[in-house]
Amino acid sequence: QILNLLGEMGPSTSAPARYIRFIYNRVILENSAVRAAAINALGKFAAQCPSLRPSILTLMRPGLVDEDDETRDRASIAVKTVEAALAQFPYDVPDEDAEDVPADEPQAGDPAAFLLLESMPMSFDKLERSVKAYMSAPAAMDSADAITFSSLPILEDLPEEEEKVEEAEQGGIEAIAAAPAGPPKEKLDPAAVVYAIPELASLGRVFRSTKPVPLTESETEYVVECVKHIFEDNIVLQFIVQNTIDDQRLDNVTVAVDTDSGLFEAAGEIAAEQIKYGDTVNCFTVLQRNADEPLATCNFTCELHFSVVQVDPATGEEEGDGFEEEYPLEDLEISTSDFMAKVAVGDFRKSWETMGNSNEVLEKFALQFKNQEDAVSAVIDFLGMQPCDGTGTIKPGGKPHMLHLSGVFVGGRSVLARAQVAMQGESGGVVLKIAVRSEDEGVSRMVADCIS
């Protein structure tokens, strides 16, 4: 963590060369994880300070024969990149009495500044999942357009990725290096079930899919859950229905939804042909969004419709005529947070400053919570965004807590939020001050309104 801080802040100090020797000592004296971090830090100094590149190259070259694979790989990339930058943009050290002294900073198009300072928009693991999701989308591979980061699907941070970030913030690079290594788990795309149905695949690429929401108790005769697949102009509701009655078969199963809101209207449905005892089958309802209405929380009444066919529990053969049946379900809520993907940013402060305040929305709320922990968890849930910089966890002490959140709203619009959560004092309750920034002021307003 210290080496990373030096790599970020050291080059902008008045005398960056003073830190080089300290970092180099870590290369020759410390364990492999620290040596690799030291090479990274030296590369950042070389990228930001062209005048130091020749001397830093001399210090990094021994890393090319380091016994550790990670250190050798990082040294190889850094050395090759800095050598290319030095050849393309040589820096002539001016005389002491020279009046026109060139700025000691990288020029436009400098390869070292691009490769060593600019972080990737996503991790390699997420890049792999995003490419797989891109390939699984309907007709994606038929396009002649080049695949770029901006054309790849937005993927949310997984729980295990959030745990790795917390480990890095709490224990540093050694904690990550000491973590047990194992084969990566295959991440299944929840939208694959939508793409497998031609009528739904024609809607395009799914922006995000929510976690299953139970619409019945787990002990009832019919168990129903709902996954909301969010599109730009539509929502596909995937109802996962299980039949737990051994002498019944359910035919032509659908879920009817209704709402008083003018924001959505049912545009079609796909029934499950039959559900035998013990089986779990999907049926779908398509909602079309009214683009003229701003997003807001909507509640839908849901009712399971099906035909009941009596069967022999032992053989499954039909015993008599079927009859129509309706089964009421819990209401389903669609909120603005369903349209927000939890995507972290590498450097929140830099992203916040880059976004600017032209589309910023400021609000203040009084929340009825007895402690900060519950209030912070609720704010994260209300907004549906990803905590950054470890701010999702409150430190003891009772001081006002600053929460940093990031996400991507439907349509690919980045959103950032800073929220201060403070106890109101002896009167109880929590005061929330929040600032939301995005590329669209309307999006900033909708996100801020999630709290009200």
Side-chain angles (χ1 to χ4, degrees):
Q1 286 178 316
I2 295 175
L3 289 171
N4 181 65
L5 180 64
L6 285 176
E8 294 291 337
M9 308 296 293
S12 60
T13 61
S14 58
R18 294 181 180 178
Y19 300 96
I20 301 300
R21 175 57 59 182
F22 169 80
I23 298 175
Y24 178 66
N25 285 342
R26 307 282 76 76
V27 176
I28 60 178
L29 298 176
E30 297 288 350
N31 60 40
S32 59
V34 178
R35 293 201 303 273
I39 291 292
N40 265 9
L42 287 174
K44 290 181 178 180
F45 271 83
Q48 296 185 68
C49 304
S51 64
L52 299 178
R53 288 175 178 177
S55 57
I56 292 177
L57 276 173
T58 303
L59 299 178
M60 289 196 298
R61 284 195 176 103
L64 298 173
V65 293
D66 192 279
E67 61 183 16
D68 177 62
D69 293 345
E70 179 76 11
T71 305
R72 286 200 309 274
D73 289 345
R74 295 190 184 192
S76 177
I77 294 173
V79 168
K80 291 293 184 182
T81 303
V82 175
E83 285 178 342
L86 195 58
Q88 186 176 353
F89 299 100
Y91 184 86
D92 297 325
V93 180
D95 297 332
E96 294 183 359
D97 55 350
E99 295 182 0
D100 187 14
V101 178
D104 192 11
E105 59 186 26
Q107 301 180 39
D110 190 301
F114 176 73
L115 289 175
L116 301 180
L117 299 180
E118 296 293 333
S119 60
M120 285 184 60
M122 60 186 74
S123 65
F124 284 105
D125 176 67
K126 187 178 289 187
L127 175 62
E128 179 186 11
R129 291 193 291 120
S130 187
V131 170
K132 288 181 178 178
Y134 177 90
M135 294 171 63
S136 67
M141 301 308 294
D142 297 336
S143 174
D145 297 335
I147 300 177
T148 63
F149 281 117
S150 59
S151 67
L152 290 175
I154 300 295
L155 292 185
E156 299 186 88
D157 293 331
L158 297 173
E160 52 265 35
E161 293 172 336
E162 298 174 20
E163 292 175 2
K164 289 181 181 179
V165 172
E166 291 180 1
E167 289 176 0
E169 291 166 345
Q170 295 174 6
I173 192 169
E174 291 185 352
I176 299 178
K185 296 180 180 179
E186 184 69 22
K187 286 87 174 179
L188 300 178
D189 184 5
V193 66
V194 175
Y195 298 147
I197 301 174
E199 296 91 334
L200 301 180
S202 63
L203 296 175
R205 181 193 294 168
V206 174
F207 172 68
R208 70 177 294 260
S209 301
T210 67
K211 295 179 180 179
V213 178
L215 298 182
T216 63
E217 299 290 339
S218 59
E219 298 83 9
T220 57
E221 57 266 49
Y222 312 119
V223 180
V224 182
E225 293 182 325
C226 179
V227 175
K228 294 168 274 188
H229 300 282
I230 308 299
F231 292 79
E232 180 79 28
D233 300 312
N234 299 277
I235 298 179
V236 172
L237 303 178
Q238 174 192 352
F239 295 100
I240 307 167
V241 185
Q242 181 184 17
N243 178 17
T244 66
I245 302 179
D246 60 357
D247 63 350
Q248 288 186 2
R249 188 187 74 220
L250 311 183
D251 289 353
N252 193 32
V253 182
T254 62
V255 176
V257 298
D258 188 30
T259 182
D260 295 332
S261 171
L263 183 56
F264 297 100
E265 65 176 352
E269 59 185 21
I270 297 177
E273 292 185 4
Q274 62 175 227
I275 307 177
K276 299 179 181 179
Y277 166 66
D279 287 353
T280 301
V281 182
N282 299 317
C283 62
F284 301 87
T285 298
V286 179
L287 301 178
Q288 188 171 15
R289 175 185 164 193
N290 183 355
D292 297 330
E293 295 286 335
L295 286 173
T297 299
C298 298
N299 289 306
F300 291 79
T301 57
C302 301
E303 193 170 57
L304 188 66
H305 292 184
F306 53 93
S307 298
V308 177
V309 178
Q310 297 294 331
V311 298
D312 186 332
T315 65
E317 295 182 357
E318 296 184 13
E319 295 181 339
D321 297 331
F323 58 91
E324 299 296 322
E325 183 67 287
E326 298 175 352
Y327 187 81
L329 305 175
E330 297 289 338
D331 287 355
L332 175 67
E333 180 181 271
I334 295 179
S335 62
T336 307
S337 62
D338 289 328
F339 296 83
M340 180 74 72
K342 292 186 174 182
V343 181
V345 293
D347 188 336
F348 182 88
R349 179 177 296 179
K350 181 179 179 181
S351 300
W352 181 263
E353 294 173 353
T354 302
M355 183 77 72
N357 61 358
S358 57
N359 296 318
E360 184 178 68
V361 172
L362 302 173
E363 289 290 352
K364 182 178 180 180
F365 301 94
L367 307 179
Q368 299 302 314
F369 292 96
K370 295 181 179 180
N371 57 67
Q372 285 179 301
E373 289 80 2
D374 291 345
V376 168
S377 297
V379 170
I380 295 173
D381 290 340
F382 288 155
L383 301 181
M385 299 174 70
Q386 179 67 29
C388 301
D389 304 334
T391 58
T393 303
I394 294 182
K395 296 180 181 179
K399 296 181 179 179
H401 180 74
M402 183 60 72
L403 184 61
H404 294 169
L405 299 167
S406 69
V408 178
F409 201 70
V410 65
R413 289 162 286 189
S414 298
V415 183
L416 301 173
R418 295 181 64 189
Q420 184 188 67
V421 181
M423 297 302 297
Q424 202 166 9
E426 298 180 358
S427 59
V430 173
V431 174
L432 170 67
K433 297 178 181 178
I434 185 170
V436 181
R437 293 182 179 183
S438 76
E439 302 160 1
D440 185 327
E441 186 176 1
V443 172
S444 299
R445 170 48 59 191
M446 282 190 287
V447 172
D449 289 345
C450 289
I451 305 294
S452 57

